[in-house]
Amino acid sequence: ASLVWSVSSWAGDRASRPGRSNFMAAACVAFVLLAGLAVSLSRHDENTFSKTTLPTSDNPLPPGMDPGLGRVIAIDNLLPEASSYRFFTHCHATFFGVPSLGGYDPLAGRDQLRFALGLDFPNVFYGPMTPAVREKLDARAVRYWIVDPRSPQLQEVEGLQGLRRLASETDRVVFEDTRASPLVYSATAPATPCAMTYSGNSILIPLSHATSPVEISVGPTDGWWYRIDQGPWLRPVYQNDRLKVDFQTSGQLLEISYFDSRFREGLRLSVYLLFFLGLLLTASHFLRKRKAA
C-alpha cells in the first residue's frame, strides 16, 4: 500500500493525469505480486529442510554421530549465544542437515508444541530430565542430546540409563540415546532404522531393503504427502505421531514431502489478484478509448 501510494504521488496530480497515476499504481501491484511468486517458486523447495552443509572445520560432528538415525536436542538452562551454533539450536526441521525436535512450522500450534514437548525457538530444553520426559523423547526419535557441561542438567542426564557418551568437549557433551526410535523404520522391525536422505522439502527413503509398511516420525503439521517412484501424490495415514505408508514390493524410492497449505493458498490468491488486476487495466483502457472517441 505504501509503494502504491508513493508511486501515485510521484506520478503527479491525479486530477490532471489520472490515467498515468492509475497505471503506475497497478503496475506496482503487479510487480510486487509477480516478484513474490517468483521468489516463492524459486526458493520454496528449501524452506523446510537443510539449506547448508555442516562446516567440518568449525563444528565437526562427534565420531559415531549419524543424523540420519534420529533427532538432536540441546539441553541447558542458559545456553551462551556465542556457542549456540555448536548445539544446533533452531525451530525448523533441520539445521546443517541435523533434524531437530522443534517442529516443521515456525508458526507452531498446540499439536506441534505437544509433539515438541513445549519447545519452540530456539529448541533448547530447559526443564528437568525425568524418566517420563526421556520416554517421550525416545518415542519422537530424539537420539542425540547435546548438553552444556556447565549446566546442572548434566548430572540428571548422566544419571539416566541407556545413554552413551559420544564426545566430551570444552563447550558441549554429546550423548547418544540407544533406546530412541529411528526416524524411519519398517513396522515389522521398529528398532532397525531405514536409510533416508533429505532433498529440499522431501525425505527420500529407498525401499529396496524395507518391508511394507514404513513408518516415518514427523511432526503433526498438516501438509504431508508421499509418492513412490515418481508416481501420483497421495496423503499418508498419520497415527501416533508417525506417517504410515504401505507399498508394493516393486517400489524403489519413497518420497515424503511437505507442502504448506498457506503457501498454496498464497499462490492462488496472487494468481487471482493478477487476473483481477488485468481485468481492471483492460476495462480502464477501453473506458479511456471510449472517452477519447
Side-chain angles (χ1 to χ4, degrees), residues 6 72 79 87 127-128 132 200 206 238:
S6 300
V72 178
L79 184 64
F87 288 70
Y238 191 86

Side-chain angles (χ1 to χ4, degrees), residues 64-144:
M65 182 176 179
D66 184 0
L69 294 180
R71 293 186 169 88
V72 178
I73 188 172
I75 301 175
D76 189 17
N77 59 332
L78 185 60
L79 184 64
E81 184 177 356
S83 62
S84 60
Y85 77 103
R86 299 265 293 164
F87 288 70
F88 311 109
T89 57
H90 51 95
C91 64
H92 298 286
T94 61
F95 186 69
F96 295 135
V98 181
S100 76
L101 180 65
Y104 294 84
D105 192 342
L107 301 176
R110 288 184 178 180
D111 289 339
Q112 289 89 343
L113 289 176
R114 175 197 58 78
F115 177 81
L117 304 185
L119 294 181
D120 194 0
F121 184 83
N123 198 53
V124 180
F125 196 89
Y126 303 97
M129 298 307 302
T130 64
V133 171
R134 191 266 183 85
E135 184 179 351
K136 294 179 180 179
L137 294 176
D138 289 348
R140 289 157 175 77
V142 179
R143 191 173 187 91
Y144 300 104

Side-chain angles (χ1 to χ4, degrees), residues 1-8 10-11 18-36 270 273-274 276-282 284 288:
S2 176
L3 178 62
V4 172
W5 179 85
S6 300
V7 174
S8 299
W10 298 337
R20 181 180 177 184
S21 177
N22 292 336
F23 175 79
M24 291 298 293
C28 286
V29 174
F31 173 77
V32 171
L33 291 174
L34 288 173
S270 297
L273 288 175
L274 285 172
F276 181 69
L277 183 60
L279 290 179
L280 290 180
L281 290 175
T282 303
S284 177
R288 287 199 303 269

Side-chain angles (χ1 to χ4, degrees), residues 64-286:
M65 182 176 179
D66 184 0
L69 294 180
R71 293 186 169 88
V72 178
I73 188 172
I75 301 175
D76 189 17
N77 59 332
L78 185 60
L79 184 64
E81 184 177 356
S83 62
S84 60
Y85 77 103
R86 299 265 293 164
F87 288 70
F88 311 109
T89 57
H90 51 95
C91 64
H92 298 286
T94 61
F95 186 69
F96 295 135
V98 181
S100 76
L101 180 65
Y104 294 84
D105 192 342
L107 301 176
R110 288 184 178 180
D111 289 339
Q112 289 89 343
L113 289 176
R114 175 197 58 78
F115 177 81
L117 304 185
L119 294 181
D120 194 0
F121 184 83
N123 198 53
V124 180
F125 196 89
Y126 303 97
M129 298 307 302
T130 64
V133 171
R134 191 266 183 85
E135 184 179 351
K136 294 179 180 179
L137 294 176
D138 289 348
R140 289 157 175 77
V142 179
R143 191 173 187 91
Y144 300 104
W145 301 15
I146 305 180
V147 188
D148 189 337
R150 296 165 296 182
S151 171
Q153 293 164 298
L154 178 60
Q155 294 182 352
E156 297 177 357
V157 173
E158 289 178 329
L160 297 175
Q161 296 182 352
L163 293 180
R164 183 165 64 97
R165 185 182 292 233
L166 291 182
S168 296
E169 302 172 359
T170 57
D171 58 350
R172 65 179 183 179
V173 181
V174 184
F175 295 89
E176 180 181 13
D177 186 355
T178 56
R179 298 181 182 178
S181 299
L183 282 170
V184 182
Y185 57 85
S186 299
T188 56
T192 304
C194 294
M196 58 162 289
T197 56
Y198 291 114
S199 177
N201 277 355
S202 299
I203 303 173
L204 305 179
I205 305 167
L207 298 177
S208 55
H209 299 288
T211 304
S212 180
V214 165
E215 295 190 7
I216 306 95
S217 176
V218 296
T221 303
D222 182 36
W224 290 108
W225 296 76
Y226 80 94
R227 64 178 179 179
I228 298 177
D229 297 337
Q230 302 295 316
W233 288 103
L234 304 171
R235 275 196 176 272
V237 177
Y238 191 86
Q239 293 178 344
N240 300 322
D241 295 323
R242 298 179 183 89
L243 299 179
K244 185 177 181 180
V245 178
D246 292 285
F247 60 91
Q248 303 296 327
T249 55
S250 59
Q252 297 298 319
L253 183 65
L254 170 63
E255 180 178 357
I256 302 290
S257 292
Y258 172 74
F259 301 107
D260 192 337
S261 59
R262 288 163 297 188
F263 172 75
R264 296 194 298 269
E265 293 166 358
L267 287 181
R268 296 191 189 100
L269 180 60
S270 297
V271 172
Y272 295 154
L273 288 175
L274 285 172
F275 178 73
F276 181 69
L277 183 60
L279 290 179
L280 290 180
L281 290 175
T282 303
S284 177
H285 175 72
F286 281 114

